[in-house]
Amino acid sequence: MRRKRKGIQQGAYEDPLKDYSPPQFEDDLEQALCDTELATVDMKPFDAISPKTKVIDAMKNMAELGIACLMVARDDGKIVGVFTERDVLEKVAEDFEQVKNLPVRVVMTTNPICAYEMDLPAKALNLMATGGFRHIPILDADDHIVGILGPRRVTRFLQTYFTN
Amino acid sequence: MGLRENILSDPISTLELRELLAIEPDQTVRSAVELMREKKLGCVVVIDQNGRPLGKFTEHHLLKLLVSNPKGLDCLIKDEMTAVWAQVNLTDPISKALDAMQEKGLRFVVVIDEQGKAVGLTGQKGMMEYIADHFPRQVKVQMMESKLYMDQREGA
């Protein structure tokens, strides 16, 4: 027996989003965390070095610029690691004479957790507050470095919402 | 209450303070480095005999010291510490720590008790944890690691 196909009755269709209402935010900060992109946060300037750079040169670079983290990237701009003050404390300080002329790839932190510029600021905050990552490299959709977020920049971003 | 009101009213003691890594002025930078490595914290506080802070020494000072003096680990901490630090009382509102960090561009703030004795540390990470705790449904649900594209086709 051939069944008769039911046609869509006039007026039976209901818009599933008819009751949709935009999210309500407690305050400006909550909205900034959940309704904007990381690209809106100040994440420049940043500095990147080659994996072949000597440890001592990287350290001089950080001391001169007054920064706590250098990104380590290949020639094509893809990130392979970060070299931070914590790496200096953990892997360099006590063996400084032996380590200072080695390439930075030996002592860097490899495969760092990154975020994308289109991610939410809430993600970067979670990585830092819960994950314990101090510096988060920010990438574009092609995995090229576009900036870096550290605690100072995130605190400054949060601070603007307390003072306003 | 909103976050802004909480920051103005909650005392510092409600924050999860970091352990204070205390060191005496006549100890070497090497012992400070060993302590920081052991406790995985980037700051030691130099204290006097009464436990009052005299200065601090951070990872950043270590970096600059090694660049300028490769034998710097054998120096005395009192010669390498910085006397620039901020301190807040346990009963001060959290906003005071935030303002102190912002004003002096500091990562850490020393927390003291009523007698002026250093009892702990807080800082930028402590603030971020506080804010993440205030917005758990917005912040703590975020994935730690995510890729824009999958490495393989789903089901392939």
Side-chain angles (χ1 to χ4, degrees):
Chain A
M1 190 177 70
R2 193 171 177 185
R3 289 187 178 175
K4 191 177 175 184
R5 183 177 289 181
K6 281 184 181 176
I8 298 174
Q9 292 174 2
Q10 198 73 26
Y13 173 74
E14 281 196 13
D15 181 358
L17 295 177
K18 73 173 184 181
D19 293 329
Y20 175 78
S21 58
Q24 300 289 315
F25 296 107
E26 183 187 312
D27 57 26
D28 294 347
L29 176 58
E30 187 186 359
Q31 182 163 12
L33 288 171
C34 307
D35 203 27
T36 58
E37 292 187 349
L38 268 177
T40 60
V41 184
D42 174 28
M43 53 192 182
K44 291 187 175 72
F46 64 89
D47 206 358
I49 54 171
S50 154
K52 296 175 194 163
T53 310
K54 282 184 184 178
V55 171
I56 182 66
D57 294 334
M59 287 171 64
K60 282 179 183 168
N61 197 353
M62 290 161 80
E64 278 169 22
L65 296 172
I67 57 177
C69 176
L70 283 171
M71 286 180 283
V72 185
R74 298 190 313 224
D75 293 341
D76 62 3
K78 300 277 172 72
I79 189 163
V80 292
V82 289
F83 181 61
T84 70
E85 287 173 351
R86 186 53 58 95
D87 293 319
V88 174
L89 174 70
E90 293 281 343
K91 306 170 197 168
V92 178
E94 287 177 308
D95 302 308
F96 185 62
E97 289 296 334
Q98 290 81 47
V99 175
K100 68 180 184 183
N101 288 316
L102 295 177
V104 77
R105 67 167 179 267
V106 178
V107 292
M108 70 184 184
T109 301
T110 52
N111 300 320
I113 298 285
C114 300
Y116 289 94
E117 59 182 345
M118 57 291 265
D119 283 332
L120 299 174
K123 179 176 176 175
L125 183 59
N126 195 35
L127 287 170
M128 289 182 170
T130 315
F133 301 100
R134 237 181 99 200
H135 292 93
I136 315 287
I138 310 295
L139 311 178
D140 67 11
D142 296 320
D143 286 338
H144 291 124
I145 302 165
V146 292
I148 188 159
L149 278 182
R152 187 170 299 180
R153 287 176 180 173
V154 172
T155 310
R156 199 186 303 141
F157 167 76
L158 298 171
Q159 181 97 5
T160 56
Y161 291 93
F162 299 137
T163 49
N164 286 343
Chain B
M1 274 205 296
L3 180 63
R4 201 170 300 170
E5 291 80 15
N6 286 357
I7 280 182
L8 289 170
S9 60
D10 283 353
I12 298 284
S13 55
T14 56
L15 293 175
E16 198 175 319
L17 300 181
R18 298 287 184 273
E19 181 184 358
L20 184 93
L21 306 186
I23 195 162
E24 290 172 7
D26 289 328
Q27 289 186 262
T28 60
V29 172
R30 187 179 299 278
S31 51
V33 167
E34 284 167 3
L35 189 58
M36 286 195 283
R37 282 191 64 184
E38 184 194 334
K39 300 289 184 180
K40 298 198 177 302
L41 192 67
C43 178
V44 292
V45 177
V46 186
I47 56 165
D48 65 11
Q49 290 170 336
N50 298 319
R52 291 172 197 273
L54 298 169
K56 67 174 179 137
F57 182 82
T58 67
E59 288 168 318
H60 192 63
H61 297 116
L62 174 68
L63 173 88
K64 290 204 287 191
L65 175 63
L66 288 172
V67 167
S68 61
N69 176 11
K71 304 280 184 196
L73 255 52
D74 298 321
C75 297
L76 293 180
I77 200 82
K78 67 181 176 189
D79 298 326
E80 304 303 330
M81 70 180 192
T82 171
V84 178
W85 83 92
Q87 65 184 38
V88 289
N89 203 297
L90 275 169
T91 52
D92 285 335
I94 291 171
S95 60
K96 193 169 175 187
L98 203 54
D99 292 342
M101 283 190 294
Q102 196 71 11
E103 197 179 301
K104 297 183 178 174
L106 299 174
R107 202 178 128 207
F108 294 101
V109 179
V110 181
V111 182
I112 58 170
D113 63 11
E114 287 167 0
Q115 285 77 42
K117 190 176 167 189
V119 291
L121 276 182
T122 187
Q124 291 165 337
K125 177 130 190 280
M127 291 300 143
M128 289 192 282
E129 287 170 351
Y130 180 78
I131 293 166
D133 285 343
H134 188 86
F135 296 117
R137 286 182 297 136
Q138 292 80 3
V139 175
K140 295 197 169 179
V141 296
Q142 300 291 330
M143 287 172 68
M144 283 287 164
E145 192 172 11
S146 60
K147 288 184 172 180
L148 285 183
Y149 312 105
M150 285 185 281
D151 290 335
Q152 291 185 328
R153 263 187 294 165
E154 192 179 3

